[in-house]
Amino acid sequence: MSNIKVGIIGLGRLGKVHAGNLAFRVPNCELYAACSMVEAELEYAKKKLGVTKTYANYDEMVKDPELDAIFIVSPSGLHCEQIQKAMENGKHVFSEKPIGLDVAEIEKTMAVIDAHPEQIFMLGFMRRYDADYQYAKEMVEKGELGELTVVRCYGIDPSDGMESFVKFAGASNSGGLFADMSIHDIDLVRWFTNQEVKKVWALGKNAAYKQLDEVGELETGAAMLQMEDKTMGILVAGRNCHHGYHVETELIGTKGMLRIAQVPEKNLVTIMNEHGVVRPTSQNFPERFSQAFVNETAEFINCIKENRQPGVNANDGLQSTKVAIACQKSYEEDELVLLSD
Ligand code: NAI
């Protein structure tokens, strides 16, 4: 089988990372086409990434008979419709998280995916493809921590993105803090425990940027989850981390506990200077999960070549969005929310 030809939609913050991986770092594929509403991004794709075709209109790109697969890295509210169109045009599909922001729309999208079982569908929960998370998962599966009782997750974006977030918060369609940020942690809790979430209670506070109250967005939020077997999930999500990009996960079990990135270290360097003993911290998601993004894309391409579906699928998208919506509802209505099956 020759190289898989991929068309990407979205060349923003994350789109550029995926596009660079598809063009230069992942074997057996070719970044053949790119679609964006921004002319400068299409110029970048042509000049820096060497793509053959650029499109301002997604409906035209999905019809391109040269393309085997579509990579969706557009704003979250567009994913469902774009997945459906790509599937209906016979393409394999990788979609960034969240799969969608509305349960009915996701269920409709899943029906379209299910109607095309010969096409590959993968969702971008890249932490599952990070070597440290895989190491921890293997320990859990081997029973080395015993039975899990608590999974605690922190996901806090760097505060250098706050000014622009606050500026565009009113117009953004992120789905709120829990759908935008906690969704990775919700997926991790489901992945590590092999359980679904039954109950959530979420809270939030805007302290540094109180104006976010007016547009219904959150700077910091926290949620407690109860799983089917009563394992507890504790999530902290935020957008205002002054030391960089803080993603930390802790698993507590009956025989032991482990932490992944309890200090979000950038590298193995320790600096001794007028500030004391300084350990540099990771600064953003492309840096922290650089290899995980490559790994997940390599898995998508391998799945196409080997005609098998990946381990992270549309149902993972549906379940995580349902929990994120429940967290948002719990925060907004100040009540405990039960999830139905
Ligand atoms: P962004 O706002 O930086 O970029 C969006 C891109 O989509 C731009 O290139 C824009 O031109 C394009 N676009 C928007 N509407 C379009 C349309 N109708 N037709 C064609 N192109 C269109 O967004 P960002 O931060 O790159 O996020 C994109 C997606 O990736 C989101 O769904 C987000 O949740 C997800 N994401 C996932 C991360 C992860 O850790 N896996 C990290 C960051 C983002």
Side-chain angles (χ1 to χ4, degrees):
M1 195 181 188
S2 54
N3 277 350
I4 306 297
K5 286 191 177 172
V6 182
I8 193 167
I9 173 155
L11 289 166
R13 273 187 332 148
L14 180 56
K16 283 201 177 72
V17 175
H18 280 311
N21 290 341
L22 286 159
F24 306 121
R25 288 177 206 98
V26 174
N28 304 317
C29 68
E30 175 188 342
L31 183 62
Y32 179 80
C35 174
S36 165
M37 294 167 80
V38 181
E39 183 53 39
E41 292 178 351
L42 295 180
E43 276 303 298
Y44 169 87
K46 265 193 258 176
K47 293 206 172 111
K48 303 281 180 196
L49 305 175
V51 307
T52 306
K53 283 197 195 156
T54 56
Y55 291 92
N57 183 327
Y58 180 69
D59 292 3
E60 286 173 18
M61 183 171 83
V62 282
K63 292 199 174 80
D64 189 327
E66 285 292 320
L67 286 173
D68 301 301
I70 299 289
F71 225 84
I72 298 172
V73 205
S74 56
S76 304
L78 303 177
H79 295 176
C80 275
E81 191 190 337
Q82 291 173 348
I83 294 167
Q84 291 172 35
K85 284 182 177 166
M87 278 280 158
E88 281 160 352
N89 279 283
K91 312 299 185 196
H92 305 288
V93 180
F94 176 99
S95 170
E96 255 312 321
K97 57 56 81 180
I99 188 170
L101 300 172
D102 175 82
V103 170
E105 216 191 340
I106 298 171
E107 285 172 342
K108 191 174 157 209
T109 306
M110 283 173 76
V112 175
I113 294 169
D114 289 346
H116 298 89
E118 70 292 351
Q119 288 158 239
I120 306 304
F121 176 78
M122 182 169 176
L123 193 66
F125 283 132
M126 81 295 183
R127 291 191 198 169
R128 294 194 191 196
Y129 295 89
D130 173 83
D132 300 320
Y133 279 94
Q134 289 187 332
Y135 185 91
K137 172 72 172 167
E138 220 177 286
M139 286 190 69
V140 171
E141 294 297 321
K142 282 190 197 147
E144 291 186 31
L145 298 186
E147 185 176 335
L148 290 180
T149 52
V150 177
V151 182
R152 176 182 63 87
C153 307
Y154 286 7
I156 315 176
D157 264 358
S159 43
D160 62 14
M162 274 309 281
E163 293 294 339
S164 102
F165 180 78
V166 170
K167 195 162 152 204
F168 296 111
S172 96
N173 190 13
S174 73
L177 183 73
F178 299 104
D180 193 24
M181 302 277 307
S182 301
I183 199 108
H184 283 296
D185 290 324
I186 294 166
D187 181 61
L188 286 180
V189 178
R190 292 182 59 252
W191 188 54
F192 279 123
T193 61
N194 298 311
Q195 301 275 317
E196 296 300 345
V197 178
K198 296 310 287 177
K199 226 184 253 179
V200 309
W201 183 47
L203 304 167
K205 177 173 178 177
N206 290 320
Y209 295 86
K210 291 189 191 299
Q211 61 271 47
L212 286 175
D213 286 340
E214 285 149 35
V215 288
E217 273 288 358
L218 270 178
E219 169 192 306
T220 306
M224 288 208 73
L225 318 178
Q226 186 184 53
M227 310 306 284
E228 290 158 314
D229 71 349
K230 296 200 173 159
T231 304
M232 293 159 273
I234 303 172
L235 315 183
V236 175
R239 307 186 187 277
N240 192 22
C241 177
H242 282 270
H243 57 268
Y245 177 62
H246 193 121
V247 170
E248 175 190 349
T249 307
E250 178 176 49
L251 305 173
I252 304 178
T254 51
K255 288 199 216 160
M257 53 197 272
L258 68 78
R259 290 183 184 159
I260 304 161
Q262 65 173 332
V263 176
E265 292 165 346
K266 185 187 184 78
N267 51 36
L268 297 176
V269 176
T270 302
I271 304 155
M272 279 147 279
N273 62 14
E274 72 273 23
H275 302 297
V277 179
V278 179
R279 301 275 301 112
T281 50
S282 73
Q283 291 303 298
N284 48 53
F285 68 81
E287 177 191 60
R288 168 64 181 88
F289 289 108
S290 166
Q291 190 57 44
F293 286 124
V294 174
N295 295 348
E296 70 173 355
T297 303
E299 172 66 358
F300 176 60
I301 299 297
N302 287 338
C303 284
I304 296 173
K305 289 193 92 79
E306 294 160 16
N307 194 23
R308 61 177 171 84
Q309 293 292 342
V312 50
N313 58 29
N315 185 51
D316 294 313
L318 173 69
Q319 299 307 331
S320 54
T321 295
K322 273 189 181 174
V323 177
I325 290 172
C327 289
Q328 191 68 28
K329 179 173 156 63
S330 174
Y331 158 66
E332 284 172 9
E333 298 179 7
D334 197 15
E335 63 179 24
L336 192 79
V337 174
L338 305 184
L339 281 108
S340 53
D341 294 329

